[in-house]
Amino acid sequence: MLTHPTLEKLHALRFAGMALAFEEQLRTPDIAELGFEERLGFLVDREMTVRDDRRLKIRLRKARLPQNACVEDINYRHRRGLDRSLMQSLIDNRWISHKQNLLITGKTGVGKSWLASALAHKACRDGFSAYYARLPRLLGELEIARGDGRYIRLLASYARIDLLVLDDWGLAPLTDAHRRDLLEILEDRHKNRSTIVTSQLPVDSWHEYIGEPTLADAILDRLVHNAHRLSLTGESMRKKNGGLTADTRSE
């Protein structure tokens, strides 16, 4: 009987899912009642499931999402101006396929970062790559990269990500170098990839926040004009619920 050699070959070929399903079939008393094509189909299905799970874990690890947020846990009961129909259209990820952006604004505590993380998590589940970064830290990393020779490579890595989340937009002042870095990032992504921006500042204040009019025009032209908007209102969900519910753990 070729039981062990077959398992060894499956593992050598890195068919872990097929090996697992094969072992399960061997332990099933009435497996012989199934035809060859059915048994082979179960092996292939298990291999695809294992590989899909492995790829998802890799995408989530690379995304570096700050919290375990899922779209199934979105709280629509809290009065914060969250449009359910718009959220459903965002959850299906067609906006990412169409290379559109999303701007989430509102006061601290209303769930901006949580929603961004949940949508990025859903994107990863649907096969898109994602990456979360607080904007002040990302700009600081680019500043360091400019000095040690990694600048072009780092910009190229941001350009390849299907969904880039820029959290805390407007939290720290921008230098001229920061403005130019933002323009480089958004120029690479314009009409090619999707970006989520979260901010306590309303979108109408972003031009003033960026500061330099010419660069502000260029940055916002690449970010705002093809973007969906979520303007959240109401009191802090953390304050109201003590940070205990799924959709309130972080801002």
Side-chain angles (χ1 to χ4, degrees):
M1 189 174 180
L2 299 178
T3 300
H4 295 301
T6 299
L7 285 173
E8 290 175 0
K9 291 175 183 177
L10 288 173
H11 283 296
L13 292 168
R14 297 184 178 180
F15 291 154
M18 294 186 72
L20 180 62
F22 184 52
E23 289 183 286
E24 291 174 351
Q25 288 188 12
L26 293 175
R27 294 194 298 268
T28 304
D30 55 353
I31 194 65
E33 297 179 6
L34 298 178
F36 170 77
E37 291 185 358
E38 289 179 291
R39 295 183 64 178
L40 178 61
F42 286 134
L43 297 180
V44 173
D45 288 345
R46 178 60 67 85
E47 182 64 29
M48 289 188 65
T49 298
V50 168
R51 293 192 179 200
D52 287 344
D53 289 345
R54 185 186 304 127
R55 284 191 287 264
L56 174 58
K57 289 178 181 178
I58 292 172
R59 287 194 297 272
L60 288 173
R61 184 175 70 250
K62 290 183 177 180
R64 297 184 180 181
L65 302 180
Q67 48 204 309
N68 185 22
C70 298
V71 294
E72 290 80 6
D73 294 330
I74 293 175
N75 183 348
Y76 291 101
R77 297 184 302 275
H78 186 77
R79 294 182 179 179
R80 50 177 168 165
L82 192 58
D83 188 311
R84 186 185 291 266
S85 62
L86 174 57
M87 286 305 305
Q88 290 303 315
S89 70
L90 295 172
I91 288 169
D92 69 19
N93 285 322
R94 280 180 292 181
W95 65 285
I96 299 178
S97 299
H98 295 159
K99 323 301 183 187
Q100 297 169 342
N101 301 324
L102 173 62
L103 315 178
I104 307 177
T105 58
K107 296 179 180 179
T108 184
V110 294
K112 301 184 298 297
S113 300
W114 195 98
L115 287 173
S117 296
L119 290 170
H121 184 275
K122 181 58 163 56
C124 289
R125 286 160 53 187
D126 288 352
F128 297 100
S129 61
Y131 183 74
Y132 168 94
R134 293 183 61 252
L135 182 59
R137 179 172 295 179
L138 180 143
L139 294 174
E141 290 175 351
L142 281 172
E143 189 172 354
I144 295 172
R146 188 182 291 105
D148 62 20
R150 294 180 298 113
Y151 183 75
I152 299 299
R153 188 166 68 251
L154 194 54
L155 283 178
S157 70
Y158 295 147
R160 290 191 297 267
I161 298 165
D162 294 320
L163 178 61
L164 177 63
V165 179
L166 299 178
D167 200 7
D168 288 336
W169 175 286
L171 196 62
L174 299 177
T175 66
D176 188 60
H178 292 160
R179 298 183 191 99
R180 297 185 184 281
D181 288 343
L182 266 179
L183 181 58
E184 290 294 333
I185 292 171
L186 296 174
E187 171 64 24
D188 289 340
R189 301 183 61 76
H190 183 51
K191 296 183 179 180
N192 295 313
R193 296 289 189 270
S194 294
T195 304
I196 294 179
V197 171
T198 76
S199 178
Q200 296 182 36
L201 299 176
V203 176
D204 292 344
S205 300
W206 288 7
H207 194 281
E208 180 181 357
Y209 162 68
I210 295 171
E212 205 285 325
T214 302
L215 287 175
D217 288 342
I219 290 169
L220 296 181
D221 179 68
R222 289 156 177 77
L223 180 63
V224 174
H225 294 161
N226 68 334
H228 301 274
R229 299 191 189 189
L230 283 176
S231 299
L232 304 182
T233 59
E235 64 179 299
S236 169
M237 295 179 70
R238 286 199 221 99
K239 181 185 299 184
K240 182 176 181 180
N241 298 292
L244 300 177
T245 62
D247 191 0
T248 61
R249 293 194 190 99
S250 180
E251 170 37 46

